[in-house]
Amino acid sequence: GGSLDGITVLPVERVNEMKTIHYPDLDRKQGLIWYYWNISGTGIIGHNGGDYGVSTEFGVNEDGTGFVILMNGYGVDGTFPRLEKAMLEAADSL
């Protein structure tokens, strides 16, 4: 919502604008910089990236639990979804 520990970092209107899908005809799952996807029925908002030889991904679910993946490689055969799911399951067990 733009605040952390009672300190406003961004107005809630700016946060909502960042999460709004501005060009649904181009991409129905991407806001200003955030992507939306599901892991086992749980909504995730995050972003990914990469360069030659590296891949990265960040995501947060509705309850605020998140993950960061930094990988030297590209991830094949569902690497990212398997890692995302395992990390969220591990966080739930803490």
Side-chain angles (χ1 to χ4, degrees):
S3 298
L4 179 64
D5 297 330
I7 299 170
T8 299
V9 179
L10 288 172
V12 69
E13 298 83 21
R14 296 292 86 61
V15 173
N16 291 338
E17 185 176 357
M18 290 169 58
K19 294 166 64 176
T20 298
I21 298 173
H22 294 277
Y23 302 102
D25 290 340
L26 181 63
D27 190 337
R28 294 178 302 150
K29 295 183 179 181
Q30 183 177 358
L32 188 59
I33 60 170
W34 303 107
Y35 297 99
Y36 294 87
W37 69 98
N38 283 290
I39 299 172
S40 301
T42 299
I44 303 291
I45 183 172
H47 193 80
N48 60 22
D51 206 346
Y52 185 73
V54 298
S55 298
T56 63
E57 190 163 76
F58 156 80
V60 178
N61 69 16
E62 292 104 355
D63 73 6
T65 303
F67 54 84
V68 175
I69 301 171
L70 306 172
M71 184 170 32
N72 58 341
Y74 297 110
V76 294
D77 299 328
T79 302
F80 273 115
R82 288 194 319 268
L83 285 171
E84 295 165 350
K85 185 175 178 183
M87 292 174 85
L88 290 173
E89 288 173 355
D92 283 343
S93 69
L94 297 176

